[in-house]
Amino acid sequence: RYERTGALGDLQQAVLQAKEAVDATTRDHLNRPGHLCNLGNRLGRRFELASAMDDLESAISQSKKGLDVTPHDNPNRAAYLTSFGNMLGLKYTQTGNLADILQAIFFLENAIPFTPANSPGRMNCLSNLGTVLAWEYAQILALDDLQYTIIRAEEALKEIPEGHPNRAASLSSLGDLLYRRYDETQTKDCKDQKVKDYEDFLSCYKDT
């Protein structure tokens, strides 16, 4: 109901019910991974509203417990991995700790093989991965990281159909990354690549 009303009271009740579901489920029950990850998601949502770090830490803890007991052939594993990676990325925005962003990348990367091609989940995972990779590059400033980020951003863009509300943001993000590479590659051997990157950059913004 919270998703429809946006009322904090509904979210508080949803968190309590998710906790009760976890408490009522035995450790070996098939539904336990889903209950744990659901609790983590609701705590993460409450953090986004109230900005209480305890909620975010609990969200990460519960989601990790859920992942740890999720079989690799579980059809929901990709969603759990993506959600957990997103939470770690969110934690990075609060702490600025490089370890948090490296973990976020690890789990988002692991989600991709479990995500069907051309699915909304894959688009979401690739898009979020591109975001955290850009954050990593901003900290480390390694050109190899930037190259890889561009590759992932291009993959994400291919997954987003024309007219989708997220396409403009992805085009803009890719354009920014291409301009960074254009700005970073200063050697004579890279001249042709710089020109191509700049043309691609302009093309991205032309499409927004």
Side-chain angles (χ1 to χ4, degrees), residues 73-148:
D73 59 353
N74 187 309
N76 294 320
R77 184 170 178 81
Y80 298 161
L81 284 164
T82 300
S83 179
F84 186 58
N86 291 341
M87 287 181 194
L88 290 167
L90 186 59
K91 183 180 178 183
Y92 166 77
T93 66
Q94 303 298 307
T95 66
N97 189 337
L98 183 61
D100 291 330
I101 202 168
L102 293 177
Q103 287 188 67
I105 291 169
F106 174 81
F107 284 99
L108 288 170
E109 286 277 13
N110 274 273
I112 293 173
F114 295 99
T115 311
N118 301 316
S119 67
R122 186 175 180 85
M123 178 183 69
N124 178 54
C125 183
L126 285 167
S127 178
N128 291 336
L129 177 59
T131 298
V132 296
L133 283 168
W135 291 343
E136 182 203 22
Y137 170 73
Q139 275 223 14
I140 299 176
L141 298 179
L143 186 57
D144 286 346
D145 288 335
L146 180 57
Q147 304 277 35
Y148 184 66

Side-chain angles (χ1 to χ4, degrees), residues 22-33:
V22 169
D23 293 340
T25 308
T26 59
R27 291 185 178 276
D28 58 350
H29 197 283
L30 290 176
N31 291 335
R32 187 169 178 82

Side-chain angles (χ1 to χ4, degrees), residues 176-189:
D176 288 341
L177 292 168
L178 290 168
Y179 189 80
R180 286 185 190 180
R181 187 169 70 181
Y182 163 79
D183 201 42
E184 289 290 333
T185 51
Q186 299 297 327
T187 65
K188 183 177 180 181
D189 290 341

Side-chain angles (χ1 to χ4, degrees), residues 1-11 49:
R1 190 169 64 183
Y2 163 75
E3 294 294 339
R4 179 171 54 83
T5 66
L8 181 58
D10 287 338
L11 180 57
L49 286 178

Side-chain angles (χ1 to χ4, degrees), residues 14-15 34 39 41 72 85 114 182 184 204:
V15 170
L39 174 57
N41 287 336
H72 281 258
F114 295 99
Y182 163 79
E184 289 290 333
C204 284

Side-chain angles (χ1 to χ4, degrees), residues 153-196:
E154 289 172 338
E155 289 178 357
L157 185 60
K158 289 177 183 177
E159 299 283 340
I160 304 175
E162 296 285 346
H164 192 282
N166 292 342
R167 186 171 175 82
S170 291
L171 283 164
S172 179
S173 177
L174 177 57
D176 288 341
L177 292 168
L178 290 168
Y179 189 80
R180 286 185 190 180
R181 187 169 70 181
Y182 163 79
D183 201 42
E184 289 290 333
T185 51
Q186 299 297 327
T187 65
K188 183 177 180 181
D189 290 341
C190 291
K191 182 178 179 180
D192 290 341
Q193 183 63 49
K194 287 171 67 176
V195 171
K196 182 180 182 301

